[in-house]
Amino acid sequence: MRRGWSQWSVGRSLQNKIFVSILLFLIIPFCVTFYFIDKPLERTIREKIGESAQEALHITKLNVEGALNAMMSSVTSLTANELAINILKNPDAYSDYDRLNTMDDTVQQMYSSYLQNMENNITVLDFHGHLYASWENQIGKYEEIRGSTWFQGILASDDNFVWMVQENGFISRRSGKLITVARVQRGAGGGPPIGVAMSSITVNDLLYLFRGLDGDVLLMSRDGQLLAANRPESASQVNFSDSDFFQQIVNTDAGQLVDDSGGEKAIVNYTTIGMTGWKL
């Protein structure tokens, strides 16, 4: 009986030694080696993905900036039309026929060929109760726009371009979410404001420019507000202004970082839209 116990004890001791040897000479070295190999591999993968993603992101940025620049040019072009400026300044000096025909032609001329594949809407208001637009005007729409909070912000903008993302488009209930640029209009020699010109596109049209990018694509304001996303159902659940990595994005023009706040690592590439400061 003692001999049997002794043999079992020796066998057990031998198993422990084998286990410890495997742990010391195989498992631990393998884990350490994998750790040091995995880090450079992860860095290499990030660099390769980052280069490709940044190139695609830069192309998309140029396309977005091209669309926004075209909208700004449309708004600015109104000041070059001396007759239109005079009508905005003193509409009673013209017959209704001449006034409406001239302003209709002016609105059509404000279209940009760059935006021909988008639903681009032009809106011009004077301060005498008249609204001229490329979209179907509705009764009471002038008063609705003039009385809105966002319109007051335009008037207080000191002639700067004002960018707005409107959840419920002012054009109609069917227009959906709009991106609009607006600017106060003055005469050729300056003087008091005589009206406001606006150019709008739908967010869906802007999303079309994201088609060359893979993964989740987001357009955010500088304060973390989500402006547009190719997958809005998932992006709307995230408060970006509270995330740790958003401050780095805000404080730099472009770059790459790794976000693991969602429980798994995600490579985030970002850049800045020049004229608005929005982050793509």
Side-chain angles (χ1 to χ4, degrees), residues 162-205:
V162 179
W163 290 94
M164 301 167 289
V165 178
Q166 297 149 317
E167 292 291 338
N168 298 313
F170 64 89
I171 294 174
S172 73
R173 294 179 180 178
R174 300 186 304 274
S175 61
K177 196 172 183 179
L178 293 177
I179 292 179
T180 299
V181 62
R183 192 181 188 188
V184 171
Q185 301 294 310
R186 301 180 187 271
I194 59 174
V196 171
M198 298 184 284
S199 176
S200 305
I201 61 173
T202 67
V203 166
N204 285 337
D205 280 337

